[in-house]
Structure formats: structure tokens, C-alpha cells
Amino acid sequence: FRRSYDRMILASGYPTDPGLHFRIHQAVWAASITKKIVGDFVECGTGRGMVFSAVLESLDDWPALNKTLWLFDTFSPYHLDPVTGQPDKSRGVRDLYARDLESTRENFSEWTRVKCVAGELPGTLEAVKLDRIAFLHIDLNFASVEQEVLRRLWPLVTPGGIVLLDDYGQNPEQNQAMNEVARELGFQILTTGSAQGIIVKS
């Protein structure tokens, strides 16, 4: 875990610890389980790649797993417009958002089968052929887009697969939005002490 956490700090670009111990622990835990089931890993809202840098660092057997990691993001550094959810240059740069697409790609260059898909979700889901998903991480910071992404990808999540929601327990709008999807699709969400949400597909 310490090795994986240090790799997250490296991806952040900071020499200091951003204090994401529980979030990273839960992502590493989810990967350790879902690596054994059929399906790829998918992250919607990658930024600099902090979470999945730690995840891949934790998986010494990643080359043998025959999985692809799909990373979806605008790869823009700008804060989101609160109405549209799109990056807005006039609102300035957010520190831990991606610097750009190439720097995130470079961060993952040591691992095979990592695909960065640039653009706005949910539209970019149509740009690739996703088959089955073992582990889905959603961190889009915009409730309506997170809802639509989960609705579209839920049918692809393999039974036993895990969905990790980054802001479920700390953002009321995102909490309500995901609770609506949970009632609609018939699953339960575990709220964790780090304010993440965990869904296990039965």
C-alpha cells in the first residue's frame, strides 16, 4: 500500500501528501477483487491519474491479467462551469485536474493496455468499444453527467464487479443523483468513512 500511495503522490505532481489514504485504499481493495473477474477497468474522470496510478502499482500481475484500463476525461485543467459541467477557462485552473492529455498519458507510460479517451462524457463512451467492466470508478464532479454515465455503463458491469463513486457522501447533489439511479436500477450503495460510495453488482 505504501508503494502504491507513493505512486499516487508522484502522479499528483506534488512533493506533499494530499491526504487520500482511505480513497486510495478502497480503490486498491476494489482492484484486488475485480482483477479476478471478467472485464476491463474504467475510470470516468481521471485528471492526472492519481487513483489508477496507485491501483496499477498495486497489481504486480497487471501484464498477465488481460485487461485494459480505459481513462475518460476532458484532460483540461480548468474548473467546471456549475451550470453546464464543462471546463471553463475563465474560472481558472484547478490544481489536481489534468495538465493536459499528453502529461496524463506519460504518467501511465510504464504500463501496457492503458487507453486515454479525451472529450466530454457521456458522448465519448460512443467513441470506443467497451465490452464488459469489472471495476468502474466515477469522479466527474457533476451530478447529471455521473447519472448518465452510470446508467449507460451499468449493463456492462460484470456480476461481482465494483463501482466506486468518489463524491457520493460529501456532495448532496451527487448523493441525491446517485440515490435516484440506485432506486431506478435496483442496487444499494455503501457509504464509506471517506465519503465514497461502493456498489457491488449482484
Side-chain angles (χ1 to χ4, degrees):
F1 176 77
R2 288 180 177 178
R3 190 187 75 211
S4 298
Y5 194 81
D6 286 345
R7 186 60 180 82
M8 179 279 295
I9 294 174
L10 180 64
S12 77
Y14 286 174
T16 55
D17 182 355
L20 303 178
H21 299 83
F22 290 122
R23 292 172 183 270
I24 297 303
H25 182 271
Q26 286 162 175
V28 167
W29 166 82
S32 73
I33 294 170
T34 56
K35 75 174 188 175
K36 302 174 184 177
I37 67 175
V38 174
D40 288 337
F41 288 176
V42 175
E43 182 173 52
C44 296
T46 294
R48 299 185 180 196
M50 295 159 61
V51 172
F52 268 92
S53 291
V55 165
L56 294 188
E57 184 68 29
S58 75
L59 298 173
D60 294 331
D61 54 351
W62 173 254
L65 292 179
N66 196 31
K67 294 182 183 297
T68 297
L69 170 59
W70 298 91
L71 302 172
F72 291 85
D73 203 289
T74 61
F75 299 101
S76 165
Y78 303 115
H79 280 269
L80 302 183
D81 183 290
V83 176
T84 67
Q86 298 176 353
D88 184 350
K89 189 174 182 178
S90 70
R91 295 179 179 274
V93 170
R94 186 164 176 174
D95 288 342
L96 293 179
Y97 278 12
R99 295 183 186 90
D100 51 48
L101 173 60
E102 289 310 313
S103 63
T104 301
R105 277 182 173 155
E106 177 61 26
N107 175 67
F108 286 97
S109 62
E110 67 188 89
W111 293 291
T112 59
R113 299 190 310 278
V114 178
K115 308 292 186 183
C116 294
V117 184
E120 294 178 9
L121 287 163
T124 48
L125 295 176
E126 308 299 330
V128 299
K129 174 60 176 174
L130 292 175
D131 185 11
R132 288 175 288 185
I133 300 171
F135 178 19
L136 171 62
H137 180 226
I138 299 178
D139 182 14
L140 295 169
N141 299 326
F142 199 74
S144 61
V145 179
E146 290 192 349
Q147 278 187 314
E148 186 59 27
V149 164
L150 185 52
R151 286 188 180 110
R152 292 196 189 192
L153 294 183
W154 181 251
L156 303 182
V157 177
T158 307
I162 293 175
V163 180
L164 182 63
L165 306 173
D166 186 67
D167 297 307
Y168 175 71
Q170 66 183 4
N171 183 298
E173 185 179 0
Q174 287 168 270
N175 182 271
Q176 180 180 355
M178 285 303 175
N179 287 341
E180 289 176 3
V181 178
R183 289 190 292 270
E184 175 188 323
L185 299 179
F187 56 73
Q188 298 289 324
I189 305 174
L190 170 68
T191 309
T192 74
S194 63
Q196 289 167 289
I198 295 176
I199 307 161
V200 180
K201 189 167 188 180
S202 60

